[in-house]
Amino acid sequence: GIKEQNTKLIGEGATISTLANQKILFKSYLNQILSVSKKMGALGVNVAHSGTVIGVLLPPNFSRWNILERNLQRSLNERLTFYRTSLIEGGWKDEIFSWR
């Protein structure tokens, strides 16, 4: 996906890696995150090796951040912190949002 600059393939690869990691470090909430994210148009889901951070890979034109965050919050029914990270020319940009 990276070689071809194909975001769909990058998302699929990230999700495959996430599901493989699930066999090593089980995360009870992963299926909910995958389901909600897919319904909202995500390209894929990635997880840190520690299992403490999960990323939702979104298309470049995605604009329904607040709805996605609310749906994830409701689905998991616990406090979450969201870091919106966007790739931009020359680096990245972070924004932090917490839902209680």
Side-chain angles (χ1 to χ4, degrees), residues 10-99:
I10 292 169
E12 288 175 9
T15 302
I16 289 168
S17 176
T18 294
L19 293 172
N21 184 271
Q22 181 75 337
K23 294 176 182 177
I24 298 166
L25 182 60
F26 184 79
K27 292 155 285 304
S28 61
Y29 45 81
L30 182 60
N31 285 335
Q32 292 166 280
I33 291 172
L34 286 165
S35 177
V36 169
S37 298
K38 184 176 181 178
K39 287 177 188 174
M40 291 290 303
L43 299 169
V45 172
N46 66 320
V47 65
H49 289 244
S50 65
T52 57
V53 177
I54 292 184
V56 178
L57 305 170
L58 300 165
N61 60 348
F62 189 83
S63 62
R64 301 181 313 156
W65 296 87
N66 292 335
I67 297 168
L68 173 61
E69 292 168 359
R70 273 195 299 271
N71 287 347
L72 287 168
Q73 181 68 36
R74 285 184 192 136
S75 176
L76 299 175
N77 196 30
E78 61 181 76
R79 184 180 177 275
L80 303 171
T81 299
F82 296 90
Y83 299 87
R84 296 181 188 177
T85 303
S86 303
L87 294 177
I88 59 172
E89 189 173 333
W92 65 84
K93 178 182 177 184
D94 289 327
E95 298 177 47
I96 301 172
F97 298 87
S98 292
W99 291 88

